[in-house]
Amino acid sequence: MKKINGIRIAIAIMAMALLVVAFYSCGSSDNSSNSGTPAYTGAPAALNIVPAMSGRTSSELEQIQRDIVSEGKRWVAGITKLSGLSDEELQYYFGNDSPDDDVDANAAMAFTLDNTTLPRSINWDNISGISYVTPVKNQEWNYLVNDNTAKCGSCWAFSTTAALESYVQITTNTPGSDINLSEQILVSCSGAGSCKGGSPKKASSFLADNGTVSASCFIYQGVGVACSQACSGWFNNSSARYLFNKVNIIGGDTTATNCDKNSRCHEIKRAIANNGPVVVSMRCYSDFTKHYKSGIYSRVKSAKKEGGHAVLVVGYSDDGQYFIVKNSWGPNWGENGYFQIAYDMVWDYDATTKAGVRFGKTAISYSNK
């Protein structure tokens, strides 16, 4: 009998131990995983799963980290949710068809801005604690089924729609509003591009002429579904459409190796200060796409070109010599979906090797006149 009781006690102790283990396993939390939520439905903006890295990718990261130190860069590289993706998979995170062909290096300004002295810094996501920028979204998230099943190179649609969302908040003085516009209208109805890429310039023209509607009218699915799937009569309902008056192509010298007057860098700053966030193109390299964690990004020499991208510049800092940029890869990439990029990436281009980020080679501002 004592032996049986001893066995029963041992079993009870084991069961309690298993319960303790189960409690701590189920109750643990990772504050870095899915704290952000998309603007559409409250579902997680992306699964924060880091794909397994190959030996080649691991070696690449180590090389980038060495280069950051030896080249005196000001950013941190590490393992991210994109680190283990193949070159083919990474292409879905881009989508700017021709990042270099919209504007000549010395193009004249297509609009007139206030020529007064610019502020040394501005951030439309934090104007005295108030934001005129909508939450970060994810071009790889299918918001219809709440899953990261989209495979769509639609950065051109996300950057331009985000610019319009900020434009509406600024011009109507409604910061922090729940405005959430449809990128799927651009993907399916604009003719400016598809999930294989598109033109921010053409998308901006479509938004100026036709506008877009609330995301609830045509939820982003990240596939090229027919325009007829949008809510009935959206195109004829002028009161439901959001649009602006003018597309402004930003000029300035892209070869100037400074951010002084008449340079593209300066003109982007001027547009931000006077009109609000600006849509820009850039070339993405492997160091940035796969491994950017935080800090002020500038390309390391060992990185390889990945693809053309379009993003939204929401601010800048002269003291730090960088732009503040909203991306469309979800809030669990980079600095909560944002990144900082050094001014000198505007003129980062080697005519011999054709390498360079060329940040802002195409730059577009929206205005009401």
Side-chain angles (χ1 to χ4, degrees), residues 64-144:
I64 289 168
Q65 290 172 330
R66 288 194 294 268
D67 290 345
I68 288 173
V69 175
S70 64
E71 296 173 21
K73 307 300 184 183
R74 298 182 289 166
W75 61 283
V76 177
I79 298 174
T80 74
K81 70 175 186 177
L82 304 186
S83 295
L85 297 185
S86 66
D87 292 342
E88 181 181 3
E89 291 169 323
L90 282 174
Q91 292 307 306
Y92 293 118
Y93 287 84
F94 308 128
N96 187 10
D97 270 351
S98 303
D100 301 328
D101 65 358
D102 283 341
V103 183
D104 293 334
N106 295 292
M109 289 288 288
F111 63 112
T112 301
L113 290 173
D114 183 357
N115 284 312
T116 57
T117 302
L118 300 180
R120 290 195 59 78
S121 66
I122 188 171
N123 180 2
W124 285 101
D125 191 38
N126 185 1
I127 304 292
S128 299
I130 298 173
S131 177
Y132 291 84
V133 182
T134 51
V136 172
K137 300 177 186 177
N138 188 350
Q139 67 188 71
E140 294 309 296
W141 191 265
N142 184 330
Y143 290 90
L144 185 65

Side-chain angles (χ1 to χ4, degrees), residues 55-64 286 290-291 304:
R56 178 177 63 85
T57 303
S58 180
S59 297
E60 178 186 65
L61 172 57
E62 292 172 0
Q63 180 63 56
I64 289 168
S286 54
K290 291 182 179 180
H291 301 302
K304 68 175 183 177

Side-chain angles (χ1 to χ4, degrees), residues 109-362:
M109 289 288 288
F111 63 112
T112 301
L113 290 173
D114 183 357
N115 284 312
T116 57
T117 302
L118 300 180
R120 290 195 59 78
S121 66
I122 188 171
N123 180 2
W124 285 101
D125 191 38
N126 185 1
I127 304 292
S128 299
I130 298 173
S131 177
Y132 291 84
V133 182
T134 51
V136 172
K137 300 177 186 177
N138 188 350
Q139 67 188 71
E140 294 309 296
W141 191 265
N142 184 330
Y143 290 90
L144 185 65
V145 297
N146 296 330
D147 199 358
N148 62 337
T149 54
K151 300 294 181 185
C152 191
S154 54
C155 61
W156 57 275
F158 275 79
S159 57
T160 53
T161 301
L164 178 55
E165 290 172 340
S166 287
Y167 168 85
V168 171
Q169 291 187 88
I170 292 169
T171 56
T172 60
N173 195 27
T174 55
S177 66
D178 60 355
I179 182 172
N180 177 25
L181 303 181
S182 173
E183 295 84 11
Q184 194 68 47
I185 288 287
L186 284 172
V187 174
S188 298
C189 308
S190 70
S194 67
C195 280
K196 295 182 179 180
S199 165
K201 186 177 179 182
K202 292 178 181 177
S204 296
S205 295
F206 178 88
L207 290 176
D209 294 337
N210 305 289
T212 188
V213 289
S214 172
S216 60
C217 169
F218 204 179
I219 297 175
Y220 180 76
Q221 299 163 56
V223 291
V225 296
C227 182
S228 59
Q229 291 192 25
C231 60
S232 178
W234 74 270
F235 191 78
N236 296 318
N237 186 353
S238 59
S239 63
R241 287 184 287 142
Y242 295 84
L243 63 164
F244 55 95
N245 293 329
K246 189 176 181 182
V247 178
N248 306 295
I249 304 301
I250 297 173
D253 184 3
T254 60
T255 64
T257 56
N258 54 54
C259 207
D260 295 341
K261 186 179 179 181
N262 299 323
S263 69
R264 178 65 57 81
C265 178
H266 177 79
E267 297 305 330
I268 292 173
K269 286 171 49 184
R270 201 150 62 104
I272 294 168
N274 284 276
N275 288 348
V278 169
V279 179
V280 306
S281 67
M282 65 181 290
R283 288 174 170 180
C284 286
Y285 281 75
S286 54
D287 58 344
F288 172 80
T289 308
K290 291 182 179 180
H291 301 302
Y292 175 83
K293 296 282 288 185
S294 63
I296 303 168
Y297 171 75
S298 54
R299 177 176 62 92
V300 300
K301 294 177 181 177
S302 64
K304 68 175 183 177
K305 182 182 174 182
E306 298 280 5
H309 195 36
V311 292
L312 187 72
V313 187
V314 303
Y316 64 83
S317 169
D318 284 344
D319 292 339
Q321 295 286 291
Y322 62 84
F323 290 106
I324 304 165
V325 190
K326 177 185 178 182
N327 205 351
S328 55
W329 295 346
N332 53 3
W333 176 91
E335 297 183 334
N336 298 315
Y338 284 77
F339 64 95
Q340 301 169 70
I341 187 167
Y343 284 166
D344 60 17
M345 290 299 96
V346 173
W347 54 88
D348 177 44
Y349 181 67
D350 187 315
T352 301
T353 63
K354 308 297 183 183
V357 172
R358 311 196 85 176
F359 186 81
K361 175 64 177 177
T362 301

Side-chain angles (χ1 to χ4, degrees), residues 2-76:
K2 290 182 179 180
K3 183 176 182 180
I4 294 175
N5 288 337
I7 293 173
R8 287 174 177 172
I9 292 171
I11 292 173
I13 292 172
M14 290 176 63
M16 289 176 66
L18 289 172
L19 284 172
V20 170
V21 171
F23 174 81
Y24 281 104
S25 297
C26 296
S28 65
S29 63
D30 179 0
N31 293 331
S32 65
S33 59
N34 289 319
S35 58
T37 56
Y40 291 111
T41 61
L47 296 176
N48 192 27
I49 297 174
V50 178
M53 292 208 310
S54 65
R56 178 177 63 85
T57 303
S58 180
S59 297
E60 178 186 65
L61 172 57
E62 292 172 0
Q63 180 63 56
I64 289 168
Q65 290 172 330
R66 288 194 294 268
D67 290 345
I68 288 173
V69 175
S70 64
E71 296 173 21
K73 307 300 184 183
R74 298 182 289 166
W75 61 283
V76 177

